[in-house]
Amino acid sequence: MRKNIVAGNWKMNKNLQEGVEFAKELDKALTGKSPKCDVVIGTPFIHLATVTSVVDAKRVGVSAQNCADKVSGAYTGEVSAAMVASTGAGYVILGHSERRTYYGETSAKLKEKVKLALENNLKPIFCIGETKDEREGNTHFEVVKSQIVEALFDLSADDFSKIILAYEPVWAIGTGLTATSAQAQEMHAHIRKILADKYGKEVADNTTILYGGSCNKNNAKELFACPDIDGGLIGGASLKVEDFMPIIEAF
Ligand code: PEP
């Protein structure tokens, strides 16, 4: 059976001390609780090693927000998948719309990043989602399909089964505009069908598909109650433990 996951994405927020303080507070808040989902925090690179050392890996998973599309070498400023793995982090967010838009990440680049993440035993949280214009132009189903096919469909079924997908409509990220649960469920079911057509029903049914885009403590319950929504990738509401915990507890 697929896992439910609530993953935070801090983006470029929190200095090291603030990040460590948050991680300790979250770990403490989860102690003695049995949430019905795995919990992950996506921190900037510089936090990874310290954050993994202050949380219990059984309670809190740790994720990078990106990794390089190259193995190693003369790529100033880049951080490889092997380096991320060496911190003890277990996940990496790839293909976030902010990286696609501001840093020109193409499907070809993302394909390399996914491959390197898997080679280093990192679980990719792979983001897909349409812009407002694409939704209004009624091309959203096609756009999301292309993002999946171009970056992921060269993977074997075995490798694909290590991927976590995050459907994040770009128009809902950081805008306070959430997809309705009906819109999100419709897209998640569409995604699961694409996976079933390629890899079969079992792989599709076992793939965790998160929703992201202004998900918060007020709407998480309704979203997570949808049959094909297996949790959330949370930006703004993952920055304070008091906002993040109720989302975890929404399951
Ligand atoms: C995100 O950046 O992945 C995200 C979903 O952000 P927010 O929750 O702030 O919309």
Side-chain angles (χ1 to χ4, degrees), residues 9 11 96 98 168 172-175 212-215 233-237:
N9 174 15
K11 312 193 186 194
H96 192 283
E98 287 153 15
E168 300 206 305
I173 296 179
T175 58
S214 299
C215 181
L233 181 55
I234 319 295

Side-chain angles (χ1 to χ4, degrees), residues 112-126:
E112 292 307 307
K113 292 185 183 210
V114 167
K115 197 170 122 235
L116 289 166
L118 291 173
E119 279 172 18
N120 287 283
N121 295 319
L122 294 171
K123 292 189 195 77
I125 301 176
F126 190 81

